[in-house]
Amino acid sequence: MRLVWKSLDKMRCLRKRSTIPFLGFLITFLLFLNLYIEDGYVLEGDKRQLREASVHPPSSERYAHTFRDLSNFSGTINVTYRYLAGTPLNRKKFLTIGLSSVKRKRGNYLLETIKSIFDQSSYEELKEIVVVVHLADFDLIWCENVVQEITRKFAHHIIAGRLLVIQAPEEFYPSLDGLKRNYNDPEDRVRFRSKQNVDYAFLLNFCTNLSHFYMMLEDDVRCSRNFLTALKKVITSREGSYWVMMEFSKLGYIGKLYHSRDLPRLAHFLLMFYQEMPCDWLLIHFRGLLAQKDVIRFKPSLFQHMGYYSSYKGVENKLKDDDFEEDSIDIPDNPPAGIYTNINVFENYDATKAYSTVDEYFWGKPPSTGDFFVIVFNKSTKISKIRIATGSDDRQSDFLHHGALEVGEKLVGTKKGKQCSSFITLGEFKNGNIEVQDVDHKIGFDIECVRIVVTASQKEWLIIRSISLWTTQPPSQ
């Protein structure tokens, strides 16, 4: 009996000391199971218990049906979609662009968004994209009218398989009544954002096998010219590096890029926590759970919010992305490479960030004569233009005061890794910057290394803001 009382007393103390609410622990535990445990390792009885614990008690048959297969995050959700216009092609495209749209009380920008996607793409780019519009409103008359407008204006894109319009029927949605009132949001606001999470989940689920990459846009967006070409350059430049989500706009759920293989897990994730918080907050958690700690955001932005009225109650929404550039952007190619420097790096401002096409930079402690920063390509490359910028608006003295730009060949292995044994100087830095045109005409070999050499010591720290390389494109066949 004494042992029993000791055990009870220990449990009471443990409960008092616990700082994690049981419900929070349970949700975290369930999420871990769903994200990291394969379906085959979960016993059937555990699956049933997991399904029951991960959602609120169902209020209808359709609610239970939606969450029937949440224990398998690698598979798609069993939803019977309505095809309102177009059908998927058998061939996988490079990029799917997903839009979810509902009836707005004021203003409707969906047709303008679709038009911008197609108008800002070249004929060659159009061959590599498919646009999927999810009409996520339960007003079937509204949906029918929108489909008629889309069909009339974009018939040739529908026929070519570049545009699909779908709908997930209302009976597949979970209950949108009696939702949790997190953050003191009014009931109608909670209903709106919770339904939006489900709208996106069903859209992601549909798009899983259409392409290699997936881009989420909102239905009130303007695109920059040749945005697909810019996307492809960024993807190529990060070849070999791990990423879950890359951002091409800093606003909302606009311009967020994923590998299509991650869409089933993201769809399940949004469904599991659909009533907890807005979708853009959930995306941050999803990215972190898949071990991408930092935001990877490309600058300038390729997409701009153009809507004046929100889809929630038609309230004014004047948000604009001040990093957006609509005209054709001269995007560098930055072929895959290893980056090395002997300059002392400050904190996490490592060398790779100077070569990245996203908004990052290298920051090092004061360099000395002979210090270097070198890029070693994975394979020899023809370079047409090199542009390097150092310093920043915030720290204007932290630029390269004295330096030279070199290109090299004859790669050899050393104790510190691969390095070129022969270099030619292209020019000197002026006010911390350098740009060299027609490199391929000035150099008689395919380049294997690009090197920045410090030619005089300086007291100031060094920021290398960007290293931009353009390759020589082969002639069109």
Side-chain angles (χ1 to χ4, degrees):
M1 180 63 72
R2 185 178 300 172
L3 290 174
V4 172
W5 282 111
K6 281 185 177 180
S7 299
L8 289 173
D9 187 55
K10 187 178 293 184
M11 290 173 65
R12 283 196 297 270
C13 292
L14 182 62
R15 188 172 65 248
K16 289 177 182 178
R17 288 197 302 266
S18 176
T19 59
I20 303 175
F22 175 73
L23 182 58
F25 171 79
L26 180 60
I27 289 175
T28 304
F29 176 69
L30 291 172
L31 179 58
F32 176 82
L33 282 177
N34 277 285
L35 281 174
Y36 297 104
I37 298 179
E38 288 296 328
D39 190 39
Y41 291 104
V42 184
L43 297 176
E44 197 60 41
D46 293 334
K47 291 181 188 177
R48 183 172 59 255
Q49 192 174 19
L50 184 63
R51 287 195 295 268
E52 292 170 354
S54 63
V55 296
H56 290 282
S59 59
S60 65
E61 281 297 318
R62 70 183 184 193
Y63 186 42
H65 174 78
T66 301
F67 291 89
R68 188 167 296 151
D69 55 1
L70 274 185
S71 58
N72 181 11
F73 263 40
S74 62
T76 56
I77 303 161
N78 186 20
V79 177
T80 303
Y81 294 92
R82 296 191 184 108
Y83 286 82
L84 305 182
T87 54
L89 298 176
N90 293 328
R91 183 178 66 85
K92 268 192 175 185
K93 299 291 188 79
F94 181 82
L95 179 72
T96 298
I97 300 170
L99 310 169
S100 183
S101 188
V102 296
K103 181 169 61 176
R104 295 170 180 258
K105 292 189 176 181
R106 303 173 69 183
N108 193 311
Y109 312 96
L110 175 61
L111 296 178
E112 293 178 63
T113 300
I114 298 172
K115 185 176 186 299
S116 179
I117 292 170
F118 292 137
D119 286 355
Q120 297 290 62
S121 302
S122 68
Y123 177 71
E124 292 300 318
E125 290 170 330
L126 289 175
K127 293 178 182 178
E128 300 189 71
I129 65 174
V130 57
V131 179
V132 178
V133 178
H134 178 207
L135 295 183
D137 203 284
F138 300 147
D139 184 339
L140 298 184
I141 295 176
W142 175 83
C143 290
E144 184 179 338
N145 291 335
V146 172
V147 171
Q148 288 178 359
E149 288 188 75
I150 291 175
T151 303
R152 186 172 64 252
K153 292 189 175 183
F154 305 105
H156 59 298
H157 292 297
I158 294 173
I159 293 170
R162 288 192 289 267
L163 177 61
L164 305 174
V165 185
I166 63 166
Q167 184 182 50
E170 185 177 2
E171 57 264 26
F172 287 92
Y173 276 71
S175 175
L176 297 171
D177 297 320
L179 300 171
K180 294 169 67 175
R181 297 277 297 277
N182 294 341
Y183 317 111
N184 294 319
D185 282 346
E187 187 174 344
D188 59 345
R189 176 67 184 176
V190 173
R191 179 185 173 89
F192 172 83
R193 63 170 169 80
S194 298
K195 179 182 176 296
Q196 188 177 56
N197 284 333
V198 182
D199 295 341
Y200 285 139
F202 287 157
L203 173 58
L204 294 164
N205 182 65
F206 178 86
C207 295
T208 295
N209 296 313
L210 299 181
S211 61
H212 300 289
F213 297 94
Y214 175 85
M215 171 69 70
M216 177 62 78
L217 294 184
E218 294 181 4
D219 64 348
D220 53 354
V221 168
R222 191 168 77 250
C223 307
S224 69
R225 188 170 294 114
N226 303 121
F227 64 87
L228 179 63
T229 298
L231 284 176
K232 293 181 76 171
K233 286 188 175 184
V234 173
I235 292 170
T236 300
S237 72
R238 298 192 73 88
E239 187 178 307
S241 66
Y242 179 77
W243 60 273
V244 177
M245 177 176 74
M246 287 200 284
E247 304 183 20
F248 293 83
S249 171
K250 62 184 180 183
L251 301 179
Y253 207 171
I254 297 172
K256 306 303 185 277
L257 182 73
Y258 300 90
H259 297 278
S260 293
R261 63 174 179 263
D262 287 332
L263 296 186
R265 285 195 289 186
L266 180 54
H268 282 297
F269 184 81
L270 291 175
L271 273 181
M272 178 171 272
F273 299 104
Y274 77 105
Q275 62 177 308
E276 301 298 333
M277 60 187 70
C279 58
D280 45 346
W281 295 7
L282 285 173
L283 295 179
I284 297 171
H285 290 291
F286 180 79
R287 186 196 75 211
L289 284 165
L290 293 187
Q292 181 189 317
K293 182 178 66 173
D294 298 323
V295 174
I296 302 174
R297 187 170 77 82
F298 176 82
K299 187 176 179 181
S301 298
L302 301 180
F303 306 97
Q304 177 65 286
H305 177 258
M306 68 176 175
Y308 187 75
Y309 298 107
S310 169
S311 53
Y312 172 63
K313 284 190 169 184
V315 298
E316 289 188 4
N317 182 3
K318 300 179 181 179
L319 281 177
K320 296 295 179 186
D321 189 335
D322 52 12
D323 292 328
F324 173 73
E325 292 183 14
E326 185 167 10
D327 292 333
S328 183
I329 303 170
D330 191 16
I331 304 296
D333 298 294
N334 284 18
I339 316 295
Y340 310 96
T341 184
N342 65 343
I343 301 170
N344 289 326
V345 180
F346 175 63
E347 293 186 349
N348 64 337
Y349 295 88
D350 58 82
T352 59
K353 295 186 175 180
Y355 192 62
S356 170
T357 48
V358 295
D359 191 19
E360 302 173 318
Y361 57 86
F362 164 80
W363 198 5
K365 296 180 180 180
S368 302
T369 304
D371 283 352
F372 62 85
F373 189 107
V374 64
I375 301 160
V376 180
F377 299 128
N378 293 355
K379 59 182 180 180
S380 58
T381 307
K382 289 187 181 296
I383 301 292
S384 60
K385 182 171 70 172
I386 301 175
R387 180 193 298 155
I388 300 174
T390 69
S392 71
D393 292 337
D394 295 334
R395 296 184 174 272
Q396 296 182 8
S397 63
D398 288 2
F399 65 90
L400 182 57
H401 293 246
H402 303 281
L405 173 64
E406 301 176 338
V407 293
E409 61 172 342
K410 298 179 182 177
L411 208 58
V412 295
T414 68
K415 292 181 179 180
K416 296 183 179 180
K418 291 183 178 180
Q419 180 61 277
C420 286
S421 59
S422 174
F423 283 92
I424 292 176
T425 300
L426 287 180
E428 302 287 330
F429 281 77
K430 295 181 180 178
N431 299 318
N433 303 316
I434 189 170
E435 179 172 324
V436 182
Q437 305 270 1
D438 301 320
V439 177
D440 51 325
H441 295 155
K442 298 173 181 176
I443 302 299
F445 54 84
D446 288 354
I447 295 170
E448 295 181 274
C449 303
V450 172
R451 186 168 69 176
I452 301 168
V453 178
V454 179
T455 54
S457 300
Q458 61 186 60
K459 296 180 180 179
E460 295 79 9
W461 289 34
L462 174 61
I463 289 175
I464 302 180
R465 191 168 71 250
S466 63
I467 300 174
S468 303
L469 309 176
W470 285 261
T471 59
T472 301
Q473 298 299 323
S476 301
Q477 298 296 321

